[in-house]
Amino acid sequence: MDSIERRRRIVRLMRARGVLSLECQDGTSRLGIRLAPPAGESGATPRPAPPVPSDIPSDIWAVSPEPGLLLRCRPLEDTPRGAEGTPVAQGDIRASVRIDDALLPVTAPLAGTIGPCRAEDGAPVGYHQPLFSITPAR
């Protein structure tokens, strides 16, 4: 079982058993997972969404599919696929998230124009972390 599938299995087991936080250490490897409480769960205080900067014109976001490292450029290229002001179609791949040897696509959720990116190339990103906004095409 690869590490991506192993992490997904751990998250499924955590959700099935109501576990919201897990930290494991094995030698030099360390894994920490925190899940948001289920919506509407009694006693759970929902966390407010992080504030959207006022200079970003849209609340439609391309998000990270999994925790990993953000790669804004294709391998062996220097130009970011998701540069600010670039027009995109729905489903276009505009970045990748690297997990070990796997590259997962970051796709545009709708057609429009890419806004500023909120993470640097090579920076660690979290599960469903907003990466860049999309201003809808008019």
Side-chain angles (χ1 to χ4, degrees), residues 20-21 33-40 44-51 127:
L20 298 179
S21 180
I33 299 174
R34 285 185 189 67
L35 302 178
T45 306
R47 283 188 276 168
Y127 177 71

Side-chain angles (χ1 to χ4, degrees), residues 10-129:
I10 291 169
V11 168
R12 282 193 301 270
L13 290 169
M14 288 173 64
R15 286 186 177 136
R17 289 167 176 80
V19 176
L20 298 179
S21 180
L22 172 73
E23 289 192 28
C24 303
Q25 188 164 358
D26 179 21
T28 59
S29 298
R30 183 170 171 238
L31 174 68
I33 299 174
R34 285 185 189 67
L35 302 178
E41 182 179 285
S42 62
T45 306
R47 283 188 276 168
V52 176
S54 60
D55 61 331
I56 296 180
S58 174
D59 60 355
I60 307 299
W61 292 88
V63 298
S64 173
E66 292 287 336
L69 299 178
L70 177 65
L71 300 178
R72 297 186 60 207
C73 301
R74 288 185 174 107
L76 306 177
E77 290 185 6
D78 294 330
T79 307
R81 292 180 282 175
E84 185 175 351
T86 303
V88 293
Q90 183 175 1
D92 280 358
I93 297 172
R94 290 298 165 198
S96 301
V97 173
R98 181 178 180 181
I99 304 171
D100 296 327
D101 293 333
L103 292 179
L104 303 176
V106 176
T107 58
L110 73 159
T113 305
I114 294 179
C117 187
R118 297 195 56 194
E120 296 294 321
D121 191 47
V125 294
Y127 177 71
H128 279 195
Q129 176 179 333

